[in-house]
Amino acid sequence: MAALFIIVTAIVVTGISVHHICILNDLRFLCSQIKELENGSQIELCVQSRQPHVLALCKKLNDLQRMHNDTYVRYEKAQKHLKQNITGLAHDIRTPLTGAVGYVQLAQECEQSVQREQYLKTALGRMQELEDMLEELFLYTKLTSEELKPKVCQIQVLPLLSTCLIGMYAQFEEKEMVPNVNFASESFCVLADEEYLRRIFRNLLHNALLHGEGELNISQTDNCLRFENTITESDRPDPDRIFERFYKADSARRKGSSGLGLFIVKELAEKMNAGVRAQLSGDKFCIILEWKSGFL
């Protein structure tokens, strides 16, 4: 009886030892494959064992490797996109600056006072473009770093919009663009941050001036504000991408645009529980600002 017990025990111990040896061999094999991955290999990990726990470990490691590869691909794509944006932005900033310097030099060399005044006025316009672009860049960095926190209060929309329109009267007159404002309710109010809303209106008006022509129709119905204008074929944007940061239609690069204006509109609107979307129908382009709650 004792002999039988010893034999059974030996068999069990031997079986356990073999099992452990197989697992250790699989782990060594996995380690060797992981080293290959560290050297740049794209192999998929495998094991010879049929042990459920070892197979589960192998599968989990392969899943993690795929997630790492996907993350790396997205990172590389984002880095490439960022470098392209920085290159484009550097060009956009240099363009008005170079133009301003050129007109100042012309003014210095010009002997006719009227012509000299015109050169200086044009140079001032280029510097204003540069100032607007740098201001948007500064606001963009604050938005992406989560520094801005809205101070929400009840605001009557029409007086604030009117103030923005009056402040940009000269630009509208120069562009020969006529803004038409039609509110279903002149007492229309929203819960918003006044500075956020002012910036949104200024960016939307600036976008219309930059890319639109003819009339700008601004209307309010229920909880929505619509900014609609006619655009040229060269200014046709992609409504699905227009709120992306640094997005530009092909012709925008020569017009002193940072490509951040509508991205900032979207970010500020969302911080106030509002939404914004774009529609394009023929030559009519429309941006709709919609309050999901907090409107009166």
Side-chain angles (χ1 to χ4, degrees):
M1 189 69 178
L4 180 60
F5 175 76
I6 293 172
I7 293 172
V8 171
T9 302
I11 293 173
V12 171
V13 170
T14 302
I16 293 174
S17 299
V18 171
H19 176 71
H20 284 171
I21 290 171
C22 290
I23 292 177
L24 287 173
N25 287 336
D26 282 324
L27 292 177
R28 290 193 188 98
F29 187 47
L30 281 174
C31 287
S32 66
Q33 293 176 86
I34 291 172
K35 286 182 179 179
E36 291 184 40
L37 291 175
E38 291 175 346
N39 294 327
S41 173
Q42 296 297 317
I43 63 170
E44 183 167 319
L45 302 177
C46 63
V47 290
Q48 297 175 344
S49 171
R50 296 296 95 188
Q51 296 296 326
H53 295 302
V54 176
L55 291 172
L57 174 62
C58 184
K59 181 179 182 303
K60 187 64 176 178
L61 289 172
N62 280 322
D63 290 342
L64 289 172
Q65 176 65 12
R66 278 190 287 270
M67 288 174 58
H68 170 76
N69 289 340
D70 291 343
T71 301
Y72 180 76
V73 169
R74 288 195 299 270
Y75 170 78
E76 285 293 305
K77 186 177 180 180
Q79 285 296 104
K80 182 179 179 181
H81 188 54
L82 179 61
K83 289 177 182 178
Q84 291 173 342
N85 286 332
I86 290 174
T87 301
L89 198 57
H91 173 269
D92 295 337
I93 291 174
R94 188 168 60 248
T95 299
L97 183 60
T98 303
V101 171
Y103 280 109
V104 169
Q105 289 174 344
L106 287 172
Q108 290 175 330
E109 298 168 1
C110 184
E111 297 179 357
Q112 298 180 7
S113 58
V114 175
Q115 187 65 51
R116 182 168 58 250
E117 195 69 29
Q118 185 61 41
Y119 286 147
L120 291 174
K121 182 180 178 181
T122 305
L124 184 62
R126 296 293 186 273
M127 294 306 295
Q128 184 62 53
E129 287 180 12
L130 180 58
E131 182 182 1
D132 291 342
M133 292 170 65
L134 293 176
E135 185 180 346
E136 287 196 341
L137 275 173
F138 177 67
L139 181 55
Y140 165 72
T141 58
K142 293 181 72 174
L143 280 169
T144 53
S145 64
E146 299 294 329
E147 288 184 24
L148 289 179
K149 302 294 180 184
K151 299 176 182 177
V152 176
C153 61
Q154 183 174 308
I155 298 174
Q156 189 174 351
V157 174
L158 185 55
L160 182 61
L161 175 62
S162 299
T163 300
C164 294
L165 285 167
I166 292 170
M168 301 178 75
Y169 174 79
Q171 292 98 309
F172 277 101
E173 188 175 44
E174 182 180 357
K175 185 71 182 287
E176 297 183 350
M177 179 178 285
V178 180
N180 296 318
V181 180
N182 183 18
F183 271 50
S185 172
E186 293 186 1
S187 61
F188 175 62
C189 294
V190 296
L191 292 177
D193 181 297
E194 183 172 344
E195 286 307 312
Y196 281 24
L197 195 54
R198 190 190 311 276
R199 167 56 67 176
I200 286 173
F201 288 160
R202 286 182 59 190
N203 282 16
L204 292 176
L205 294 174
H206 180 70
N207 184 74
L209 285 165
L210 203 60
H211 306 295
E213 58 182 17
E215 295 182 345
L216 168 63
N217 295 308
I218 306 172
S219 60
Q220 174 266 323
T221 53
D222 298 327
N223 61 329
C224 293
L225 278 179
R226 298 172 61 92
F227 292 74
E228 184 177 77
N229 58 270
T230 303
I231 58 173
T232 61
E233 186 64 31
S234 62
D235 282 305
R236 288 178 67 86
D238 182 348
D240 295 328
R241 296 189 58 208
I242 197 166
F243 296 107
E244 294 178 7
R245 58 183 175 181
F246 299 114
Y247 170 77
K248 294 184 180 186
D250 289 342
S251 66
R253 245 177 226 294
R254 65 175 185 269
K255 294 186 176 182
S257 168
S258 67
L260 288 171
L262 294 183
F263 171 80
I264 289 173
V265 167
K266 175 177 175 290
E267 291 293 306
L268 293 179
E270 289 179 351
K271 286 181 178 292
M272 299 186 297
N273 197 32
V276 63
R277 64 184 189 275
Q279 293 178 347
L280 181 61
S281 178
D283 62 350
K284 297 296 182 183
F285 178 66
C286 182
I287 293 180
I288 303 167
L289 190 62
E290 181 177 8
W291 274 264
K292 301 172 184 177
S293 62
F295 57 90
L296 302 170

